[in-house]
Amino acid sequence: MDSLPVVSPAVGWNTWSFERLTALSYVDGDRLELELRVSILDEIERERTSTFGWGDVVDLGPHAYDGSYLRLELNAGFEARFELEAASEGDRLALRVTPTRTSARRVVVEMVRPGRCGSWEREGDTWRLGDWRVACEGALPPHTLYLRAPGPCAAGGRGERLVVAASRDEAPGGADAFIDAARERYAGRCVRSGGALGEAAEAITRAAAWNTVYDVSGRGICTTASRDWCRDWQSVVLFGWDTYFHGLVAAVEDPAVAWANFAASLAGATPSGFVPNWSLGSGVATVDRSQPPVGAFAVWKTWLRDLDDGRLATLYPGLLRWHRWWMGARGTPEGLLAWGSDADAAYAFPELKQAMYGAQICCCYESGMDNSPMFDGVPYDPVTGRMAQADVGLTSLYALDAECLAAIAGALGRGEDAASLGAEADAVRERINALLWCEEEGIYLNRRADGRWSRRRSPTSFYPLLCGAPDARQLARLVDGHLLNPAEFWGEYPLPSIARSDPAYRDNDYWRGRIWAPMVYLVAAGLRRCGRRETARALAGAGLRMMLANWREGRAIYENYSAETGSGGDVPNADPLYVWGGLLGLAALEEVVDATPEGLRFCAGLVGGASVERLPLRGASYDVHAHDDRLEVWRDGTLYARLGSVGALVVDRDANRVGVEARAGAEWAVGGWAPGGTVWVGAGGVPKAWTADADGWVRGRVP
């Protein structure tokens, strides 16, 4: 099995720069060759705006991950608005910046070759440096306008558009036609959704693609939580668990970007083997603490979509080291886990000790739930480096991590690892039930080191669903008594980050009462695993409606949302384009089509029906049309499956297996098999052998 490089290098034009949203950069491996930076000049105020944030966005348009097409509309002050549209192919770029409102402001494009010496030569509207040529249509002669810039600039007329074309050797003509053709091509290949899913697929893809940058310091292509955060931190900043969720969102349209994110995360692992809470491109990172162990879960789910054994094998050792670090560093005497911060962390700036490590707040940061009421008043033990409280969420995620690593090891043919990790997952699951299930209240709870229960409840109480811990009786009490209880977690906007009955819920501040997409996504996944699919569908549907309402209102996918109004913009500390907010859309999309260990699952049943088109799964492109009463699936443009009922089909071509979940009498059919071949069909729980007809179709009726 070939080993792939950990870092994913970038090649070509894209919005690679974390510093400038409106810069187009050409990167070739580890070299930044050329950058065209777009700014807006206000001659009256003598100011040139070159840094734009998400608050300046009017319309977040499409963005192909490969940079082949993108569009963005921005506010540029005093009602001035401009549309930036670009297309690329190879080393060719066409860039068009057009005013969308009457304005006297000018478009300026600065040409930068970082770290390169040499003289720009100019012939009319064309600039040349080495083998690069940049041609500008509608630019003023440079000597007519005073601009403060270190290199050559092209400035458009007042209120006029500016078109720039760049390539090696010959500056291409026909920029307008090139951009228009690229727009049509991308529109014909991008993932899109409809029906009850609305524009969820497009929205979450745009949020992730516009936040995907290139870390020239060595981590390669990665999807940041938000460009605004990177600009504030003055570096490409990656957060521990965020980056794995970003990969899941990116995989909806381009699994390669998901793999790149996972590689970038593990490239920043500490010498101890754990992925840090946060790390910068400069090399600074939190060496005292990690973040929730969702890495193997995200990698396994992505492999189920993409089946890339090479990348799976490359990532496995790093994921395994991270997993093994947890029990050694955060394990309690009972074999559970608690959040922590190493008191002897070797930071180079001891004057920041209390802010950086060896403090209770740092344990909270490791949890990813910075100010959660779950940790109020919980002491920190500097001897053990842990909070004095076993955490049900962390312990459950650890069990899930072991289970997913066992599956990865099995897929890679590492049977001994698979058996050991599987046994560990079973043992931790048993300890969760024995030590963290509160029979009195019918819910999983955190437990203090002195044995007392922590009575505060958050969605982490439902994380044992993810590792399959509860039995049928526990499941009923947990879901019906607490999750679906509107006094605790249910309602029009379900799953606040602390129970509605908790006094801290009213704070509506970050993890003190607001809704967070990762919690919704994980709990929905746990519900599906444990057979509560209707509840999972209701939870995912509510999150989807909330996400779409905010997207349609302001092209925003927020970091968190109000559990009272569903608004993300009601507080100042909810970033308006935070990638993991797209997990709300992904949870709903997975209700229609998902890649599972049993095979590709296609499902009908969302109220109003739903559709997904051009979804990449296992080397093919799928269109799924799930109506109120039937299901149709198309594979690479050819009809592939039908179900004449509300229900689901699970198809595993490699194992010649089909699973049918539908009412009695429902007719179904799946194509693409070898004519005359035998397919095992699970109908009513009883496997039956079926024979494909001469056209490669297997057909049947649910008994």
Side-chain angles (χ1 to χ4, degrees):
M1 193 174 296
D2 293 333
S3 178
L4 300 179
V6 173
V7 173
S8 300
V11 176
W13 289 99
N14 215 320
T15 52
W16 295 125
S17 170
F18 75 88
E19 298 174 288
R20 297 174 180 86
L21 176 61
T22 55
L24 276 297
S25 311
Y26 185 87
V27 174
D28 186 357
D30 59 354
R31 300 190 310 277
L32 177 57
E33 292 279 338
L34 179 63
E35 191 165 89
L36 302 182
R37 301 173 179 173
V38 177
S39 56
I40 304 299
L41 176 64
D42 182 344
E43 293 177 278
I44 297 175
E45 297 294 331
R46 298 181 182 179
E47 292 180 351
R48 185 154 62 95
T49 304
S50 58
T51 55
F52 295 91
W54 297 132
D56 301 311
V57 172
V58 176
D59 184 23
L60 192 74
H63 190 315
Y65 282 107
D66 62 7
S68 57
Y69 177 74
L70 57 92
R71 182 181 62 79
L72 185 70
E73 187 178 4
L74 293 163
N75 272 320
F78 295 105
E79 300 300 315
R81 289 185 179 178
F82 290 82
E83 178 189 68
L84 183 152
E85 200 171 11
S88 68
E89 183 176 356
D91 61 16
R92 181 182 179 184
L93 172 75
L95 168 65
R96 182 169 62 201
V97 187
T98 308
T100 57
R101 282 188 175 178
T102 301
S103 170
R105 298 190 175 196
R106 298 179 189 270
V107 179
V108 176
V109 174
E110 184 182 350
M111 306 164 206
V112 181
R113 295 202 78 190
R116 299 298 181 90
C117 297
S119 300
W120 284 89
E121 299 176 2
R122 179 174 163 270
E123 300 174 4
D125 290 336
T126 301
W127 284 258
R128 181 166 186 165
L129 179 60
D131 58 355
W132 282 100
R133 288 192 177 215
V134 181
C136 302
E137 174 192 326
L140 299 174
H143 65 272
T144 62
L145 190 66
Y146 175 64
L147 290 172
R148 295 178 182 176
C153 292
R158 291 178 178 172
E160 300 295 328
R161 76 173 194 160
L162 184 63
V163 179
V164 178
S167 74
R168 284 193 167 103
D169 296 326
E170 295 295 331
D176 285 320
F178 184 65
I179 292 172
D180 294 342
R183 183 197 313 117
E184 294 302 314
R185 284 195 299 272
Y186 182 61
R189 68 179 176 88
C190 64
V191 177
R192 67 182 181 188
S193 56
L197 287 174
E199 61 274 32
E202 297 98 316
I204 67 176
T205 297
R206 292 180 190 185
W210 278 107
N211 277 304
T212 298
V213 299
Y214 186 63
D215 182 6
V216 294
S217 71
R219 292 180 296 185
I221 298 170
C222 46
T223 305
T224 67
S226 169
R227 284 176 179 267
D228 284 0
W229 286 66
C230 292
R231 194 174 64 248
D232 291 344
W233 289 47
Q234 299 180 28
S235 179
V236 176
V237 56
L238 297 183
F239 295 101
W241 65 329
D242 302 52
T243 305
Y244 290 93
F245 288 130
H246 301 167
L248 287 175
V249 174
V252 170
E253 183 162 298
D254 193 343
V257 179
W259 292 117
N261 273 286
F262 305 149
S265 173
L266 289 173
T270 69
S272 299
F274 67 83
V275 171
N277 174 184
W278 54 259
S279 60
L280 305 181
S282 63
V284 178
T286 53
V287 296
D288 70 299
R289 60 184 182 270
S290 187
Q291 272 204 321
V294 297
F297 170 72
V299 168
W300 176 239
K301 282 187 69 69
T302 300
W303 183 82
L304 289 172
R305 299 177 65 95
D306 195 45
L307 301 180
D308 191 321
D309 289 350
R311 286 190 170 97
L312 193 68
T314 300
L315 298 172
Y316 174 72
L319 292 170
L320 186 60
R321 284 189 70 210
W322 187 18
H323 176 78
R324 288 175 172 163
W325 172 84
W326 278 104
M327 191 59 78
R330 303 291 185 253
T332 71
E334 301 80 18
L336 304 172
L337 289 100
W339 301 112
S341 169
D342 298 341
D344 59 350
Y347 281 98
F349 22 85
E351 69 277 7
L352 296 179
K353 177 181 178 181
Q354 290 306 311
M356 294 301 297
Y357 67 97
Q360 196 259 10
I361 185 61
C362 299
C363 305
C364 300
Y365 292 154
E366 182 171 80
S367 77
M369 301 177 291
D370 305 357
N371 67 339
S372 172
M374 301 292 289
F375 312 127
D376 288 359
V378 180
Y380 167 74
D381 184 347
V383 175
T384 64
R386 301 188 306 265
M387 277 191 189
Q389 175 172 280
D391 193 271
V392 65
L394 173 56
T395 307
S396 299
L397 289 176
Y398 180 81
L400 175 66
D401 198 58
E403 188 176 87
C404 291
L405 280 168
I408 292 171
L412 295 174
R414 305 187 186 197
E416 189 173 327
D417 278 4
S420 172
L421 289 160
E424 182 185 25
D426 291 340
V428 175
R429 190 182 298 116
E430 290 177 6
R431 290 197 288 272
I432 290 171
N433 277 329
L435 301 172
L436 296 177
W437 172 259
C438 177
E439 179 63 26
E440 176 189 353
E441 298 193 21
I443 192 171
Y444 294 97
L445 295 173
N446 294 341
R447 196 161 199 160
R448 297 289 182 91
D450 61 8
R452 291 180 298 127
W453 293 111
S454 170
R455 301 291 178 173
R456 308 196 92 151
R457 304 165 185 176
S458 86
T460 59
S461 288
F462 308 115
Y463 285 9
L465 298 170
L466 286 162
C467 63
D471 59 25
R473 183 185 65 83
Q474 290 171 315
L475 180 65
R477 293 190 69 190
L478 185 65
V479 175
D480 298 330
H482 297 281
L483 177 61
L484 294 175
N485 182 350
E488 292 188 27
F489 294 101
W490 209 247
E492 183 179 0
Y493 304 104
L495 218 61
S497 50
I498 196 71
R500 298 181 194 275
S501 55
D502 193 292
Y505 170 78
R506 295 188 293 273
D507 293 350
N508 187 38
D509 176 32
Y510 230 48
W511 295 90
R512 304 180 76 84
R514 293 182 68 78
I515 295 171
W516 290 77
M519 287 181 153
V520 173
Y521 182 80
L522 290 173
V523 173
L527 288 165
R528 286 197 296 268
R529 171 173 183 162
C530 291
R532 294 296 297 259
R533 288 193 168 273
E534 290 301 319
T535 306
R537 187 170 299 158
L539 176 60
L544 172 69
R545 289 188 294 274
M546 181 175 65
M547 187 198 83
L548 286 177
N550 284 269
W551 172 257
R552 290 164 180 167
E553 180 181 356
R555 284 296 186 261
I557 291 183
Y558 284 100
E559 183 183 9
N560 51 75
Y561 297 82
S562 166
E564 290 293 311
T565 67
S567 172
D570 61 316
V571 294
N573 59 348
D575 189 286
L577 204 69
Y578 203 93
V579 177
W580 79 9
L583 291 170
L584 295 172
L586 181 59
L589 188 142
E590 289 180 352
E591 288 295 326
V592 178
V593 54
D594 194 15
T596 74
E598 292 73 35
L600 298 181
R601 179 184 174 87
F602 309 101
C603 184
L606 284 182
V607 176
S611 66
V612 185
E613 296 180 352
R614 300 187 289 268
L615 188 70
L617 290 170
R618 302 188 179 182
S621 175
Y622 286 87
D623 297 345
V624 183
H625 300 279
H627 305 282
D628 285 337
D629 58 351
R630 67 190 188 283
L631 174 73
E632 289 185 350
V633 181
W634 297 71
R635 184 175 185 268
D636 290 334
T638 301
L639 184 63
Y640 178 63
R642 284 198 188 103
L643 176 64
S645 170
V646 172
L649 290 172
V650 181
V651 183
D652 183 352
R653 289 167 57 88
D654 294 333
N656 285 342
R657 190 170 56 205
V658 179
V660 186
E661 302 171 13
R663 58 175 172 76
E667 295 183 347
W668 58 269
V670 179
W673 309 96
T678 299
V679 180
W680 286 93
V681 178
V686 181
K688 293 184 178 181
W690 297 69
T691 302
D693 63 20
D695 295 323
W697 281 81
V698 180
R699 309 169 195 272
R701 182 188 297 271
V702 178

